[in-house]
Amino acid sequence: MILRNIVDRPIFTRVVMFLIIVNAILVGFESYPAVFEAYFSWIQGLDRILLWAFTIEILLRLLSSRPLYSFFKNGWNIFDFIIIVSGHLFVGTAFITVLRILRVLRILRTISILPSLRRIVTALLMTLPSLGNIALLLSILFYIFAVTGTMLYGTVMPEYFGSLHTTLLTLFQIITLEAWASGVMRPLLELAPWSWIYFVLFILFGTFIVLNLIIGVIVTNLDKANGSIDEEQTLSADEQLASLRSEIAELKQMMKQMADQKSNH
């Protein structure tokens, strides 16, 4: 119960966030060879301190879980556990690159610490199955417009529509809405005046409709993720209340037994 109170305190989360930020700054310094070589011993020492600080944090969260195995029911807890344990396994080995990657991955622990970031990531993961269907629809549209564009404008503007894969790349540039009008459409309009119909249709179907579908699916799943996380928090509060009631009942039983023993004497 004491460990649970420590872990649930806002100051505990703030300290962990501070350590993650320090770790991020340290990883940034490692990307500058001159700084890394000049302060190698300092950087290495701070990294060891951070690793053990994160280890203590994980142990506190693990020991505060009731029952103990419930800690591993949360996917984010498993992710944190693997990152920290791997850091200990690769310390002092020849896998320096792997160790540096693990240091970078520690920054991702920000997601597991902040509930708002967890909601966003959970929503994105929930979106993946729906995005598969939308991606299939977008692929069909791309293929239809790529074949049509190659047939219509392959000889007129071969640098953009000369082959199927070239047209696909051009359509990808168009769907990003990056310099497509001045770079692709305007030059083609001078050679094929009716080509604006092709571009308008592709922008309408490919960009506005499909991309809005993706946004709609993400927003819907974000609402679902908010609901599921709120439900988890409610369940966690109920579990704590049940644990507290159990401890009070045990305390009452002990007091009753002590009173009975005194009355017998």
Side-chain angles (χ1 to χ4, degrees):
M1 195 67 182
I2 298 174
L3 291 178
R4 189 69 186 179
N5 291 333
I6 294 173
V7 171
D8 289 340
R9 288 180 180 274
I11 188 65
F12 184 82
T13 303
R14 293 193 188 104
V15 170
V16 175
M17 276 300 304
F18 174 75
L19 293 176
I20 292 174
I21 292 171
V22 173
N23 179 83
I25 295 172
L26 204 64
V27 170
F29 283 149
E30 289 188 24
S31 63
Y32 295 94
V35 177
F36 182 67
E37 291 173 4
Y39 300 97
F40 174 76
S41 58
W42 283 91
I43 292 174
Q44 192 177 41
L46 280 173
D47 181 72
R48 295 285 178 86
I49 293 172
L50 287 170
L51 179 60
W52 280 106
F54 287 134
T55 304
I56 294 171
E57 177 238 339
I58 290 291
L59 287 174
L60 288 175
R61 286 167 53 194
L62 176 63
L63 295 174
S64 66
S65 300
R66 289 291 179 273
L68 204 65
Y69 63 83
S70 64
F71 177 84
F72 296 99
K73 289 183 178 180
N74 189 316
W76 290 112
N77 290 341
I78 296 173
F79 173 78
D80 292 344
F81 186 81
I82 291 173
I83 291 297
I84 300 306
V85 170
S86 300
H88 284 286
L89 292 176
F90 287 103
V91 166
T93 64
F95 300 99
I96 301 299
T97 304
V98 176
L99 186 59
R100 288 183 176 179
I101 292 172
L102 290 171
R103 289 173 185 167
V104 176
L105 289 178
R106 285 182 207 162
I107 303 172
L108 285 175
R109 298 194 59 235
T110 309
I111 300 172
S112 63
I113 297 298
L114 298 178
S116 56
L117 289 181
R118 285 207 308 270
R119 288 187 179 96
I120 295 173
V121 174
T122 302
L124 290 175
L125 293 175
M126 292 170 64
T127 304
L128 290 179
S130 301
L131 284 182
N133 296 326
I134 297 174
L136 179 60
L137 175 61
L138 190 60
S139 301
I140 293 171
L141 286 174
F142 257 77
Y143 187 76
I144 291 172
F145 276 92
V147 172
T148 305
T150 305
M151 290 179 177
L152 293 176
Y153 313 117
T155 55
V156 179
M157 189 177 281
E159 65 270 25
Y160 289 111
F161 299 95
S163 61
L164 182 62
H165 67 274
T166 305
T167 307
L168 285 170
L169 187 59
T170 302
L171 292 178
F172 183 79
Q173 176 187 343
I174 293 171
I175 205 172
T176 62
L177 302 178
E178 180 65 30
W180 68 274
S182 59
V184 182
M185 187 184 74
R186 296 294 180 186
L188 185 59
L189 280 176
E190 296 177 1
L191 303 172
W194 291 97
S195 61
W196 64 269
I197 300 174
Y198 173 83
F199 290 102
V200 169
L201 288 175
F202 181 71
I203 290 295
L204 285 174
F205 286 105
T207 303
F208 295 140
I209 295 177
V210 175
L211 294 184
N212 281 327
L213 277 175
I214 294 174
I215 294 171
V217 169
I218 292 175
V219 170
T220 302
N221 286 318
L222 184 59
D223 291 336
K224 291 181 181 178
N226 288 335
S228 63
I229 290 178
D230 291 339
E231 186 178 349
E232 287 179 4
Q233 291 176 347
T234 303
L235 289 174
S236 178
D238 291 340
E239 289 174 357
Q240 291 180 22
L241 184 59
S243 177
L244 183 60
R245 286 175 176 172
S246 176
E247 290 180 2
I248 293 173
E250 290 177 2
L251 185 60
K252 286 181 177 179
Q253 185 67 27
M254 289 175 62
M255 292 176 66
K256 185 179 178 181
Q257 290 176 356
M258 290 174 65
D260 291 340
Q261 289 176 0
K262 287 182 178 180
S263 62
N264 292 333
H265 289 300

